[in-house]
Amino acid sequence: MRFEFATAARIVFGEGATATLPELSRTFGAHPLVVTGTSRERVASLVSSLSAESFAVSGEPTVDLVREGAQHARNAGCDVVISIGGGSAIDAGKAIAAIATNGGDPLEFLEVVGRGRAISVAPLPFIAVPTTAGTGSEVTRNAVLGSAEHGVKASLRSPLMLPRVALVDPELTYELPRAITAFTGLDALTQLIEPYVSARANPLTDGICVEGIGLAASALRRVYHNGADREARRDMALASLFGGLALANAGLGVVHGFAAPLGGSWNAPHGALCAALLPHGMAANIAALRSRAPQHPALERYAAIARLLTGRNDARADDGIAWVRALCADLNVAALRGWGITEADLPGVVEKAARASSMQANPIPLAREELLAVVTAAW
């Protein structure tokens, strides 16, 4: 047995934890750049406490946006980058911190569609403060960027990009709108299920996934229907953190393999795409395992997931699929067609998904016709 586990240098979790942010920032530098998302007003008082340069991210990060942000950081003489926002703001800040010190164009370093050049110079110190409960980006070593010219999302990735501090304060999620609660929460659940059945799963991520799936199963429906449920908000923030820890060290699978090309070509939230795909990706994997690898340990893992989700000791793998389908219906998850994707687009999406880095950790390789069946069912 051999595995590696890497994460943020320091994780601070708890209600009110953001009170320590100004002091934490000063330990890394005197001239911070604060990267914020679309809901800047929710964190205005926190941002103002930092007396910093600011850079706003209006949507999911792109190669062009990172070019602009890195130049802004250099021109302003910033020596630390702080992201306060959802996954888009955190990924943008992570990439800006890396490109600001390494120079060059982001495409030189991007996987799949870029040159994949290694990040060789330590990025500016980076602090991640999530305001949603879903992406887990505060503890990952990559930043997902959209490339308009390639019509795909791909990662800028390096162990050097792990945040110096992940500051997770559930209070920042208290006012999340219902739709964002649903999308980000289902992304968190996906990022616990996929690493648990991944070809790169290991004993350390297994324990994290089991705990996280249980938390999300109990809390997500509750917090969707009652955003004021503070215990459920806390549990979803923890589940999101656990998902980030798991995916960074065990990989993902078919759902995220599709989310990359879909998110790169259509203006749809990442979590919404994962939510639309999750039950169909689970079903395809279970069918393929039963057909071609009936002794594969991932089959029992899918049964274990079903027991965690349903709370029933007699649950089987198919019961987990049914539970996720019901949850998606309860949370009003739209099919892929709701985001402007047409049926004619699907074969091209399959070709891009087959080459996505996330697909490489799927528990069993899926044929093109199986991939087409997944995305068609989600459409």
Side-chain angles (χ1 to χ4, degrees):
M1 181 185 298
R2 180 177 181 177
F3 65 89
E4 177 183 345
F5 190 93
T7 190
R10 182 180 179 189
I11 298 171
V12 181
F13 183 97
E15 288 86 346
T18 50
T20 64
L21 182 57
E23 180 182 353
L24 283 172
S25 174
R26 287 192 293 271
T27 66
F28 296 109
H31 303 289
L33 174 70
V34 176
V35 180
T36 58
T38 54
S39 300
R40 183 183 171 91
E41 65 281 357
R42 286 202 299 119
V43 295
S45 61
L46 182 57
V47 173
S48 66
S49 71
L50 295 167
S51 302
E53 289 286 323
S54 63
F55 185 79
V57 177
S58 60
E60 297 195 357
T62 64
V63 170
D64 290 341
L65 182 139
V66 170
R67 287 190 192 108
E68 180 186 350
Q71 189 60 53
H72 184 102
R74 286 192 291 263
N75 291 345
C78 295
D79 50 11
V80 58
V81 177
I82 304 168
S83 282
I84 305 173
S88 294
I90 293 175
D91 276 7
K94 209 181 298 181
I96 288 167
I99 299 301
T101 57
N102 280 267
D105 189 84
L107 275 174
E108 293 180 36
F109 305 92
L110 210 61
E111 295 176 346
V112 183
V113 296
R115 290 175 52 197
R117 177 181 152 198
I119 299 290
S120 57
V121 180
L124 293 174
F126 177 65
I127 300 173
V129 185
T131 61
T132 64
T135 70
S137 186
E138 66 272 15
V139 288
T140 65
R141 70 188 83 188
N142 69 303
V144 180
L145 308 181
S147 173
E149 64 183 289
H150 299 95
V152 73
K153 289 182 180 179
S155 283
L156 197 68
R157 189 186 309 270
S158 170
L160 297 175
M161 292 173 60
L162 284 164
R164 299 288 189 92
V165 181
L167 187 61
V168 185
D169 187 339
E171 289 184 0
L172 296 179
T173 71
Y174 285 177
E175 297 178 11
L176 278 180
R178 178 172 286 186
I180 296 177
T181 296
F183 296 156
T184 56
L186 282 162
D187 187 22
L189 180 61
T190 305
Q191 291 172 173
L192 291 159
I193 290 174
E194 290 202 301
Y196 189 56
V197 298
S198 162
R200 300 204 298 268
N202 67 67
L204 188 50
T205 58
D206 285 351
I208 291 169
C209 289
V210 166
E211 180 71 15
I213 291 169
L215 288 169
S218 171
L220 182 48
R221 189 178 269 109
R222 285 163 47 208
V223 79
Y224 176 77
H225 290 291
N226 178 16
D229 186 333
R230 295 189 174 193
E231 181 181 358
R233 289 286 189 196
R234 181 202 65 208
D235 286 353
M236 284 309 303
L238 196 54
S240 174
L241 172 65
F242 285 179
L245 294 169
L247 76 88
N249 291 282
L252 292 162
V254 60
V255 173
H256 280 80
F258 273 114
L262 287 168
S265 298
W266 285 273
N267 186 25
H270 170 76
L273 297 172
C274 289
L277 289 156
L278 178 57
H280 311 294
M282 292 172 66
N285 277 342
I286 290 168
L289 289 162
R290 285 173 174 163
S291 172
R292 300 196 294 280
Q295 303 305 314
H296 198 293
L299 270 176
E300 170 51 34
R301 286 173 178 255
Y302 273 116
I305 288 166
R307 293 191 290 271
L308 289 165
L309 293 175
T310 65
R312 289 172 31 216
N313 290 331
D314 63 343
R316 302 178 64 183
D318 292 333
D319 297 318
I321 300 170
W323 190 94
V324 171
R325 288 184 193 275
L327 176 67
C328 290
D330 194 20
L331 272 56
N332 294 305
V333 171
L336 295 180
R337 63 169 62 90
W339 301 101
I341 300 159
T342 70
E343 193 169 11
D345 294 320
L346 302 185
V349 170
V350 167
E351 291 307 310
K352 290 181 178 179
R355 299 191 297 271
S357 58
S358 292
M359 197 70 79
Q360 309 314 307
N362 203 56
I364 187 169
L366 297 176
R368 291 295 197 278
E369 58 268 24
E370 291 173 312
L371 294 175
L372 183 58
V374 170
V375 75
T376 301
W379 183 77

